[in-house]
C-alpha cells in the first residue's frame, strides 16, 4: 500500500457581507480546503481500491481541523460539503474514495453533525472546477443552508492526481427566505429534520 504523496494544499475563506439587500446581523464565512495528491490507481483499472480510504483518514482529519480553525472553532460551523476532482488518468470511482475519510473527518470534529455530508466528484483536466454542495450539519432539510462553493486550482489535478476537497460554512445563505425547516425547529433525530 503506497503512502499518500501530497503535492500541495490550498485553503481559502470567503466573507460575505451582503447580497444586495440589507447587511445581515453577522458575516457569512465559507471556507474550502483542497489537497492535491498522487492518484495511486491512475492509468490502470484496479479492482481492489477500498483500502485506500483508510490511508486518506489522517488527511481528512487534518483538513477538517484546519477549516474549523479558519472559521473560529467548531461551534461556528453550520454547513458542510465535500468533493473530489480526479485527473484524466483516473476514474470517477477514485474520487468516491473520499466519501468516508472526508465526511467522517468533519463529522468527528463537529457536534450535532447528524446530516449526511453532501458530495460531488468528476474527472477533469488541469484547472478543472467543482461546485461543492453544502447543507446544514445537523438536518439536511434546512433549505436556508442549501448552498455550493466553487473550488479548483489552476495547476491541478494533473493527469495522475486527485484534488480532494472539504468545505464548511458558518451559516445560511445571506437573505435566505425560501421557507422550509428553520434551524430553530431542528429535531436532530435522523439527520434530515
Amino acid at each position: 500500500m503506497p503512502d499518500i504523496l501530497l503535492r500541495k494544499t490550498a485553503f481559502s475563506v470567503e466573507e460575505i457581507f451582503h447580497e444586495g439587500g440589507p447587511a445581515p446581523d453577522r458575516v457569512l464565512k465559507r471556507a474550502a480546503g483542497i489537497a492535491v495528491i498522487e492518484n495511486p490507481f491512475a492509468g490502470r483499472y484496479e479492482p481492489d481500491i477500498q483500502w485506500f480510504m483508510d490511508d486518506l483518514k489522517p488527511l481528512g482529519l487534518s483538513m477538517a481541523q484546519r477549516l474549523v480553525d479558519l472559521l473560529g472553532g467548531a461551534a461556528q460551523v453550520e454547513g458542510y460539503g465535500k468533493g473530489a476532482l480526479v485527473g484524466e488518468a483516473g476514474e470517477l470511482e477514485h474520487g468516491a474514495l473520499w466519501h468516508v475519510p472526508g465526511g467522517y473527518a468533519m463529522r468527528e470534529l463537529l457536534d450535532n453533525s447528524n446530516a449526511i455530508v453532501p458530495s460531488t466528484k468528476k474527472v477533469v483536466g488541469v484547472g478543472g472546477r467543482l461546485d461543492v454542495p453544502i447543507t446544514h450539519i445537523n438536518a439536511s432539510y434546512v433549505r436556508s443552508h442549501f448552498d455550493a462553493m466553487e473550488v479548483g486550482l489552476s495547476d491541478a489535478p494533473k493527469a495522475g492526481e486527485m484534488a480532494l476537497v472539504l468545505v464548511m460554512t458558518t451559516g445560511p445563505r445571506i437573505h435566505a427566505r425560501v421557507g422550509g425547516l428553520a434551524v430553530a425547529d431542528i429535531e436532530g433525530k435522523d439527520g434530515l429534520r
Side-chain angles (χ1 to χ4, degrees):
M1 293 186 219
D3 293 328
I4 291 176
L5 297 176
L6 179 66
R7 179 165 69 91
K8 69 187 299 184
T9 61
F11 289 84
S12 64
V13 178
E14 292 181 10
E15 293 180 300
I16 303 171
F17 298 97
H18 67 83
E19 290 286 349
D25 292 335
R26 71 179 183 143
V27 172
L28 171 64
K29 292 182 181 179
R30 301 189 317 173
I34 304 173
V36 180
I37 67 167
E38 181 180 284
N39 180 350
F41 311 112
R44 69 182 194 286
Y45 175 80
E46 179 62 50
D48 180 17
I49 62 174
Q50 272 191 350
W51 56 265
F52 194 55
M53 288 190 288
D54 285 338
D55 289 10
L56 291 172
K57 286 180 180 177
L59 177 63
L61 282 169
S62 172
M63 291 174 66
Q65 186 61 61
R66 180 96 180 260
L67 290 176
V68 166
D69 293 345
L70 286 169
L71 293 176
Q76 302 304 311
V77 178
E78 292 185 18
Y80 55 22
K82 64 185 182 300
L85 293 153
V86 180
E88 294 171 338
E91 62 177 282
L92 195 59
E93 195 66 7
H94 301 159
L97 291 166
W98 188 233
H99 283 302
V100 172
Y104 280 96
M106 290 191 289
R107 291 176 73 181
E108 185 172 319
L109 298 177
L110 303 172
D111 292 335
N112 295 318
S113 56
N114 296 325
I116 191 168
V117 181
S119 181
T120 190
K121 63 202 138 314
K122 67 181 181 179
V123 176
V124 297
V126 171
R129 308 291 293 179
L130 189 68
D131 288 333
V132 178
I134 300 165
T135 59
H136 191 277
I137 65 170
N138 194 19
S140 293
Y141 287 5
V142 176
R143 285 186 210 152
S144 60
H145 287 62
F146 292 177
D147 203 351
M149 187 170 182
E150 185 183 36
V151 298
L153 297 170
S154 62
D155 67 343
K158 295 179 181 176
E161 295 179 331
M162 292 190 285
L164 305 174
V165 181
L166 296 180
V167 170
M168 294 183 189
T169 68
T170 62
R173 296 181 315 278
I174 300 295
H175 310 310
R177 55 192 186 278
V178 296
L181 180 65
V183 171
D185 297 327
I186 294 173
E187 293 176 12
K189 295 178 182 174
D190 59 7
L192 300 175
R193 296 181 178 84

